[in-house]
């Protein structure tokens, strides 16, 4: 039941009523593309058409890191896959925000904020730090007669300091549509209704139910669905005028009373509901803004937006040699009669030629099996992120070196001495389709992807592969997040890695770290009531020179569609032990099943060769699914490091260039009270491929996992060389998604 309140001050909603009237007016634009934000001209095709603006950059973000006006949300959505990081500050309140556009119609945000208290502490802190998650869903796109409409849940799983729900509508107009002649520019109008924080000022109705007041120091982390869209509802509205492609002028009417901040903490004085701002799009990725808020405060924002499909440096891959048609071999046909297949010296010569051709492409020949009309090449790919791109380079190398009688190529990418898949294609298709506009689709349709099987006994193996030794030295960073005394701590130093492969499938590897600078050691000691399986990070950070890892592992294929791994030694900075894993992953299936078992012992804080008393068995059964459009789902169930039982859900989105963004949560039999702040383990992760930055082929990535709170419940051991990621990249679904890169 909705109970309307009498409007004693109608002036405070006049701006909202005016905005709603504008929103109801007929628009002059067609459906707005998500990527360009380009709006068709109202007078297009006439002599008096207004000057066209360039396509706009993505919509700007509000102080909460979501598309919006200043402090209020708009209905905008970022381009699909967009990743935005922003910082905002005003009136003693700072907010660090991360937003990801997971689907064209769905976005999610994580926020870390600090509220200065001016002596009147919140939960015992002079500056109260808090974390929150937001989610937004577009209900419908903007149409000729309709605005774009979005529903949002703000701080829906935190302590509730910023908890709010809203519906918001946004409409865009060209200046010409407003009767402003040839004036360039665009006007964006937004209006909406908010609950919670966004219903705390100027409420016009109540939807019933009680919203409990915010309690500082609450553990948070649980969904407050019983409060959603309950209590007072208030209108908000705003305008954004874009005179050109760089500048934006903004004004809004805010429905947030800032009850907490203007109460005992006296963070700032709220004198007005009107906010004003100006923003400048410094570059395609950086936007800056300055504002005057609530009649008393000055604020600013800095926004950085990245899109995986728009790398800062275009990829510059050395061009591969073209396919050599067999007609060019005519002068040597006598030399390459089919009886070459019976000559061991000629086969060895062909192997050497193929090895040189592959080396020029950045690939390594492991073995080659030669018959009169077919050949199987097993190769290693240390350069290209895309298995399809590596296969294309390998196929063209064979076309330049194998005798003309060889018609069938069987390409087998190899990881740690084990074949991952077999890509079969006809040489004649390769020759015929090289310059076809439909080459990628046509060749993939004509090719087959099968299980690799064991290496043929008659294979000619490269004599220089084993034993193999590699080493590298580079910087490392070790962050620690969300300490109430200092939200971000960091250790930096040098990491020396080395590995030795004595035979196919075997690997001995390790890493030594030398910290150069850092302050993680100054963090707070653990207060966990569970075994301290992860929360003693401060204790492990007390030592400057550490042995990060030292282990021996074996990777092999025990049977069809089965892969296996065993690892023993020091897995990571906190644990060592014995680990085993088996993965069932058919090459043409999107599904995979795995089982992993680990017996681990906690390492001493100095991270040398000694151990602590804590020992435990941990392991999981896992299910993997490739959902399409780059989405990957992983479900784990089993026993975690603290002895708790439960399950983990992980959803990642990986783009064709290797850019990955994902989120996870774990629920176990540990109660929210015993778990502590955050109630259960959750977080998000991202991985940015190095070649996305550099524009040069590389398989390396820069990755980071962020948990709102690092606790001891729901924690896994980090074991090197887990199977699924290594195996999946060369199977059918990945090859199909990357098929266009076969010709790069």
């Amino acid at each position: 039941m909705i109970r309307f309140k009498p409007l004693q001050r109608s002036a405070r909603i006049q701006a909202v009523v005016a905005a709603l009237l504008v929103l109801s007016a007929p628009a002059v634009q067609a459906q707005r593309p998500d990527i360009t934000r380009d709006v068709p001209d109202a007078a297009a095709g006439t002599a008096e058409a207004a000057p066209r603006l360039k396509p706009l950059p993505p919509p700007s973000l509000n102080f909460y890191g979501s598309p919006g006006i200043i402090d209020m949300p708009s209905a905008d959505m970022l381009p699909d896959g967009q990743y935005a990081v922003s910082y905002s500050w005003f009136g003693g309140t700072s907010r660090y925000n991360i937003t990801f556009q997971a689907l064209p119609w769905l976005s999610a945000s994580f926020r870390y904020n600090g509220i200065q208290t001016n002596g009147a502490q919140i939960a015992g802190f002079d500056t109260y730090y808090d974390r929150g998650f937001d989610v937004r869903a577009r209900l419908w796109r903007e149409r000729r007669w309709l605005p774009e409409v979005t529903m949002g849940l703000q701080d829906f799983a935190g302590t509730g300091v910023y908890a709010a729900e809203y519906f918001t509508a946004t409409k865009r107009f060209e200046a010409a549509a407003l009767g402003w002649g040839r004036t360039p520019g665009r006007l964006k109008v937004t209006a909406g209704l908010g609950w919670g924080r966004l219903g705390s000022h100027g409420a016009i109705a109540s939807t019933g139910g009680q919203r409990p007041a915010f309690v500082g120091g609450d553990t948070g982390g649980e969904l407050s669905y019983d409060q959603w869209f309950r209590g007072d509802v208030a209108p908000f509205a705003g305008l954004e005028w874009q005179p050109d492609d760089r500048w934006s002028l903004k004004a809004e009417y805010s429905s947030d009373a800032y009850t907490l901040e203007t109460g005992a903490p006296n963070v700032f004085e709220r004198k007005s509901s009107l906010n004003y701002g100006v923003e400048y799009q410094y570059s395609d990725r950086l936007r800056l803004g300055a504002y005057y808020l609530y009649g008393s405060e000055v604020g600013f924002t800095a926004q950085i937006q990245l899109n995986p499909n728009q790398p800062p440096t275009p990829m510059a891959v050395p061009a591969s040699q073209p396919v050599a048609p067999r007609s060019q071999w005519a002068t040597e046909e006598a030399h390459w009669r089919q009886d070459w297949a019976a000559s061991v010296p000629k086969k060895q010569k062909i192997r050497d030629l193929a090895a040189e051709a592959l080396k020029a492409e950045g690939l390594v020949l492991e073995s080659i099996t030669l018959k009169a009309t077919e050949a199987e090449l097993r190769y290693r790919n240390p350069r290209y992120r895309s298995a399809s791109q590596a296969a294309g380079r390998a196929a063209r190398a064979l076309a330049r070196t194998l005798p003309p009688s060889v018609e069938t190529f069987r390409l087998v990418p190899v990881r740690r001495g084990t074949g991952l898949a077999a890509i079969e294609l006809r040489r004649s298709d390769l020759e015929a389709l090289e310059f076809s506009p439909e080459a990628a689709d046509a060749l993939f349709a004509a090719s087959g992807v099968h299980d690799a099987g064991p290496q043929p006994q008659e294979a000619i193996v490269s004599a220089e592969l084993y034993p193999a030794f590699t080493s590298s030295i580079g910087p490392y960073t070790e962050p620690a997040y969300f300490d109430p005394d200092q939200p971000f701590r960091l250790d930096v130093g040098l990491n020396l890695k080395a590995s030795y492969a004595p035979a196919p499938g075997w690997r001995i590897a390790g890493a030594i770290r030398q910290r150069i600078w850092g302050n993680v050691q100054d963090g707070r000691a653990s207060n966990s009531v569970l075994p301290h399986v992860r929360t003693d990070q401060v204790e492990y950070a007390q030592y400057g020179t550490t042995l990060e890892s030292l282990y021996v592992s074996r990777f092999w294929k025990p049977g069809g569609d089965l892969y296996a791994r065993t690892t023993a030694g020091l897995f990571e900075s906190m644990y060592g032990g014995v680990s085993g894993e088996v993965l069932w992953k058919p090459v043409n299936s999107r599904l995979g099943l795995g089982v992993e078992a680990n017996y681990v012992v906690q390492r001493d804080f100095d991270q040398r060769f000694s151990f602590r008393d804590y020992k435990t068995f941990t392991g999981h059964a896992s299910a993997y699914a490739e959902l399409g459009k780059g989405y990957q789902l992983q479900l784990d169930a089993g026993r975690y490091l603290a002895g708790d039982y439960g399950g983990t859900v992980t959803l990642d989105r990986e783009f064709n260039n290797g850019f990955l963004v994902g989120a996870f949560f774990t629920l176990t039999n540990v109660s929210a009270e015993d778990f502590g702040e955050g109630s259960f383990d959750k977080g998000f992760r991202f991985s940015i491929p190095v070649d996305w930055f550099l524009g040069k082929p590389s398989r390396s990535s820069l990755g980071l996992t962020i948990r709102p709170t690092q606790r001891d419940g729901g924690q896994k051991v980090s074991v090197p060389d887990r199977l699924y990621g290594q195996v999946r990249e060369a199977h059918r679904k990945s090859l199909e998604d990357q098929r266009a890169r076969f010709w790069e």
Side-chain angles (χ1 to χ4, degrees), residues 13 16 72 165-167 191-206 231-237 253-256:
I13 63 170
V16 178
M72 299 292 105
E165 305 82 49
Y166 57 85
F167 290 95
L193 296 173
W195 288 257
R197 286 283 296 230
L198 299 183
S200 59
H201 176 78
I204 59 173
S206 174
D232 291 346
V233 55
F236 59 86
Y253 169 84
S254 171
S255 59
D256 190 341

Side-chain angles (χ1 to χ4, degrees), residues 661-685:
V661 178
F664 62 90
F665 68 88
T666 300
L667 299 176
T668 73
N669 59 345
V670 171
S671 67
E673 181 180 359
D674 287 342
F675 183 91
E677 185 179 2
S679 298
F680 62 94
D681 188 58
K682 54 190 171 294
F684 59 93
R685 61 184 183 180

